[in-house]
Amino acid sequence: MDVYGYDPFIAVDAAWKLSRSVTHIKDVDEIYQNCDYITIHVPLMDSTRGMIGAEALAMMKPTAVVLNLARGPLVDEKAMVEALRTNRIRKYVVDFPTPDIASLKNAIVIPHLGASTEESEDNCAVMAVRELRDYLENGNIHNSVNFPNCDMGVCRGAMRVTVIHRNIPNMLTKFTAAFGDLGINIERMANETRGDYGYMMMDLSHVAGQEEIEKIRGIEGVLRVRALSGR
């Protein structure tokens, strides 16, 4: 299969990751005019609503198949119905079926359940267990709804302390000063914020006792402190 790809906003890093077998097209009309299977992978915005309309459909081969598994309104429904009724294109595959589209014999309509296959459900369960275990054992956060991603791998110090805190000025300075006053060196640290909350991870050179941990909990703006064993 010869693959053509069109992305007017592609980033440099994303471009480097592209397979060499993908031909990067600079004019989307070339996709419409030359491709046998046209798939849409864009968000629904004012600029993309109805992007596959009568004009785009008129450019396509009569053997073209359009696959829309992104968002229904990306395709002008009236234009697509007319194209299918007149055999302007071969097939329309969509998981946003409407009564008009579903009634056409050359439309293939499927449920919008691509993330609910047996394999994906198993993968999601495995991923959730791994992420929860990583948080419990190492304090790392991935794909949280309310907190930022933060990952320092496995603790290399004598102890790891994680702190959930409010996203307010001077929090990092307070933590480093507090451990400095206790004579404990911070060997590694990471701090990420998201909205009203921040999450800090610190690998310490020495084990902090309960009294030292309580001093961290007493800092204004701290919501929760966890102490994890290190190497």
Side-chain angles (χ1 to χ4, degrees):
M1 178 182 289
D2 295 325
V3 180
Y4 288 3
Y6 172 74
D7 184 351
F9 306 109
I10 191 168
V12 174
D13 288 344
W16 277 108
K17 294 176 183 177
L18 275 179
S19 168
R20 292 184 179 180
S21 62
V22 176
T23 302
H24 186 203
I25 301 300
K26 296 183 179 180
D27 186 346
V28 70
D29 289 351
E30 291 188 51
I31 300 285
Y32 301 147
Q33 294 165 2
N34 297 307
C35 291
D36 299 295
Y37 293 86
I38 300 171
T39 68
I40 309 169
H41 308 270
V42 299
L44 178 62
M45 302 182 293
D46 290 340
S47 59
T48 59
R49 185 180 297 273
M51 62 179 289
I52 304 292
E55 185 177 347
L57 291 165
M59 299 183 197
M60 297 180 190
K61 301 177 181 180
T63 55
V65 177
V66 176
L67 298 94
N68 178 15
L69 308 179
R71 291 291 183 266
L74 295 170
V75 173
D76 184 321
E77 184 176 331
K78 291 183 179 179
M80 179 58 74
V81 168
E82 180 64 21
L84 293 173
R85 284 177 175 168
T86 59
N87 295 316
R88 173 82 278 284
I89 65 170
R90 182 184 174 192
K91 294 283 184 183
Y92 180 45
V93 184
V94 62
D95 59 0
F96 298 93
T98 64
D100 287 343
I101 293 292
S103 65
L104 299 172
K105 65 179 182 180
N106 47 351
I108 300 175
V109 296
I110 55 179
H112 188 64
L113 294 173
S116 299
T117 65
E118 183 177 349
E119 295 85 354
S120 66
E121 292 291 341
D122 288 345
N123 290 337
C124 287
V126 171
M127 180 180 70
V129 170
R130 287 174 175 169
E131 291 177 356
L132 182 58
R133 179 177 179 176
D134 194 21
Y135 173 74
L136 293 174
E137 293 182 351
N138 302 305
N140 298 317
I141 295 179
H142 292 279
N143 302 320
S144 170
V145 174
N146 300 317
F147 290 97
N149 288 344
C150 193
D151 187 340
M152 287 213 317
V154 177
C155 179
R156 301 176 188 172
M159 182 182 199
R160 173 168 291 178
V161 174
T162 68
V163 182
I164 298 174
H165 61 86
R166 299 194 184 280
N167 186 15
I168 55 179
N170 208 34
M171 291 303 298
L172 273 64
T173 302
K174 292 179 180 179
F175 298 144
T176 55
F179 280 114
D181 292 342
L182 295 170
I184 299 175
N185 183 44
I186 300 174
E187 295 183 338
R188 297 172 66 218
M189 68 178 182
N191 186 76
E192 299 289 345
T193 60
R194 181 176 180 181
D196 295 332
Y197 301 101
Y199 187 69
M200 188 166 188
M201 305 176 69
M202 295 168 282
D203 285 354
L204 308 179
S205 60
H206 297 85
V207 174
Q210 188 61 34
E211 184 177 345
E212 286 81 2
I213 296 299
E214 288 301 323
K215 290 183 179 180
I216 302 300
R217 287 195 177 101
I219 296 175
E220 183 179 358
V222 169
L223 301 175
R224 185 178 180 185
V225 179
R226 289 181 67 213
L228 304 170
S229 59
R231 58 173 181 257

